């Protein structure tokens, strides 16, 4: 689980709840069904206009899952594990790879390709196709959340304008002005909260996960192909070190 995402969401809610408590703790005054309808209904409807229904229904859970989850293995650990696999393949042959317990499922699939004797062209095409598919799904998810984040404040403003029209239409009855104005302002509040506390952060996190996934899968694909070409473990390791940050490269060099 990505602790940063969880802490961010929890902290955002805690800030809002804390401010409401400081202001008297009257949570009921911050609830309005009209504002909920205009924000959630309007933003969802506008997103449906932009994208097909299947894309929206798949992108929403996909984006949330991507933002909440972390890879089980870091790029540095991937390089170390691939170097170990290369050493086993060099000393014991490709068939010995079937007995290895590999933590990353993408790397495990690549090692199975080697053990089963697939050629380099097939391995590269299969892994690139899978990489492009995952990349497209993450891109789809971040676009959906970014679309909702773009629409929510706009519909908040629409809700505020509707409230003001209603308020001016009832100027003869002062008792109605307060509740109508509160509804108008709550629409803006809901739009800002949904966009800036939920949708845009999740969209940005999905974008970061795209870059992370691209890096890890590139390391795996290049490592698997080098092992299939029977390169030495040292060559495989040195080639993959180029993908790592300066800090990780220095740490791995010292450890070696």
């Amino acid at each position: 689980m990505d602790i940063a995402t969880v802490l961010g969401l929890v902290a955002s809610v805690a800030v809002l709840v804390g401010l409401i408590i400081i202001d008297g703790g009257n949570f009921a005054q911050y609830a309005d069904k009209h504002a909920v309808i205009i924000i959630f209904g309007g933003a969802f409807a506008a997103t449906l206009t932009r994208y097909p229904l299947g894309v929206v229904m798949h992108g929403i859970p996909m984006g949330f899952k991507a933002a909440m989850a972390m890879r089980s293995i870091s790029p540095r650990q991937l390089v170390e594990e691939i170097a170990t696999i290369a050493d086993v393949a060099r000393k014991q042959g490709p068939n010995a790879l079937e007995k290895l317990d590999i933590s990353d499922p993408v790397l495990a699939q690549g090692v199975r390709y080697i053990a089963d004797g697939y050629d380099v062209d097939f391995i590269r095409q299969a892994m690139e196709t899978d990489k492009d598919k995952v990349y497209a799904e993450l891109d789809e998810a971040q676009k959906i959340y970014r679309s909702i984040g773009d629409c929510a404040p706009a519909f908040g403003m629409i809700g505020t304008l509707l409230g003001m029209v209603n308020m001016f239409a009832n100027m003869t009855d002062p008792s109605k002005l307060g509740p109508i104005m509160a509804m108008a302002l709550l629409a803006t509040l809901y739009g800002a909260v949904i966009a800036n506390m939920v949708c845009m952060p999740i969209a940005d996190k999905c974008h970061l996960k795209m870059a992370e996934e691209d890096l890890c899968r590139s390391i795996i694909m290049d490592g698997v192909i080098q092992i299939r070409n029977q390169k030495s473990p040292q060559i495989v390791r040195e080639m993959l070190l180029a993908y790592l940050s300066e800090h990780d490269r220095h740490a791995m060099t010292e450890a070696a």
Side-chain angles (χ1 to χ4, degrees), residues 75 79 214-215 218-220 222-223 238-245 249:
V79 173
D214 182 61
L215 172 63
S218 296
I219 291 173
I220 291 171
D222 285 351
E238 289 298 325
M239 188 198 74
L240 297 182
L241 282 177
Y243 283 102
L244 302 182
S245 64
R249 274 183 287 181

Side-chain angles (χ1 to χ4, degrees), residues 2-101:
D2 192 331
I3 301 300
T5 303
V6 177
L7 288 178
L9 292 174
V10 171
S12 298
V13 173
V15 168
L16 283 181
V17 172
L19 288 174
I20 293 173
I21 292 174
I22 290 173
D23 290 337
N26 186 4
F27 289 91
Q29 69 182 6
Y30 292 94
D32 186 85
K33 61 183 179 182
H34 299 89
V36 170
I37 292 171
I38 190 65
I39 295 302
F40 289 95
F44 186 73
T47 303
L48 283 177
T49 306
R50 291 185 180 185
Y51 301 99
L53 178 61
V55 174
V56 175
M57 300 309 294
H58 177 260
I60 291 176
M62 175 70 186
F64 187 77
K65 179 181 178 182
M68 296 295 291
M70 287 190 68
R71 262 187 158 272
S72 59
I73 184 170
S74 67
R76 176 180 170 181
Q77 292 171 322
L78 272 176
V79 173
E80 293 174 344
E81 188 167 2
I82 291 171
T84 301
I85 294 169
D87 187 57
V88 172
R90 186 68 178 266
K91 293 179 180 178
Q92 303 179 33
N95 291 333
L97 299 179
E98 296 180 350
K99 302 176 183 178
L100 294 179
D101 183 18

